[in-house]
Amino acid sequence: DQYLGVTPELHPIICQIGGRNASYCAQATRYVEEYGYREVNLNIGCPSNHTSGRRQFGAMLMKQVNTAVEVVSAMSSNVKNIPVSVKTRVGVDELDTLEYLIQFIGRLRNEAGCRNFIIHARKCVLGGLLSPEQNRIIPPLNYPRVYALCDHFTDCTFVLNGGIPGLDAAKQLCHGTFFNNHPYKKKNEASSNSNK
């Protein structure tokens, strides 16, 4: 109750867990469902050195795909009526291509049965080179990569996360007009022009 107990006014609510031990994560998932959460989410996006470094979970699981698949599969097998989702990034360290991301998401979908993803539209830099706070602002946003996932995996749900400054921007992202009105587009255009 100390950690999982919630009052009715907080519902609907999702519980996010982190870990790399499939058995422990499966057991935690069962508890989360018993406590009435609407969904259980596995964090495969945390870049902190404590998490991804010493403990080898969070964003580190983007590099250890077999372990990620094993954990998500165990979680999915241990719930009855709630979905399991994954929060992750568009890339990690040198693994920063759409091809790699499609392969990663594809394995979680095909082998672990996950169909719900929250995607932070920035890569993360591990190894203590950037702090968790810096990892939320320094790596450039890559919304088009998230949209590409939506086009590729039409039977999955993707929630876009990262760098959305408010409801107006969120609405523009949904309607495809955000890039026309945002410095992100101008910055990328300037970068593209400078490379010509």
Side-chain angles (χ1 to χ4, degrees), residues 58-98:
M60 180 58 75
L61 292 181
M62 287 191 76
K63 294 182 161 188
Q64 299 174 2
V65 186
N66 290 338
T67 301
V69 168
E70 183 182 343
V71 171
V72 176
S73 182
M75 292 171 64
S76 297
S77 298
N78 230 28
V79 292
K80 295 176 182 173
N81 298 307
I82 63 171
V84 172
S85 63
V86 167
K87 182 175 182 190
T88 191
R89 299 274 189 137
V90 295
V92 56
D93 290 337
E94 74 284 358
L95 303 174
D96 186 26
T97 64
L98 176 59

Side-chain angles (χ1 to χ4, degrees), residues 112-132:
C114 187
R115 295 289 190 278
N116 299 291
F117 299 91
I118 300 165
I119 309 291
H120 189 135
R122 289 184 171 91
K123 71 175 271 184
C124 62
V125 179
L126 303 182
L129 298 174
L130 295 179
S131 70

Side-chain angles (χ1 to χ4, degrees), residues 146-164:
V146 183
Y147 292 144
L149 288 177
C150 296
D151 290 337
H152 193 86
F153 299 102
T154 56
D155 62 337
C156 294
T157 298
F158 294 94
V159 176
L160 180 63
N161 176 252
I164 304 170

Side-chain angles (χ1 to χ4, degrees), residues 4 15 17-18 21-35 40 70-79 82 84:
L4 289 175
C15 181
I17 66 171
N21 182 299
S23 176
Y24 290 165
C25 288
Q27 187 175 9
T29 298
R30 185 167 59 249
Y31 293 147
V32 166
E33 183 169 30
E34 287 172 0
Y35 270 86
V40 59
E70 183 182 343
V71 171
V72 176
S73 182
M75 292 171 64
S76 297
S77 298
N78 230 28
V79 292
I82 63 171
V84 172

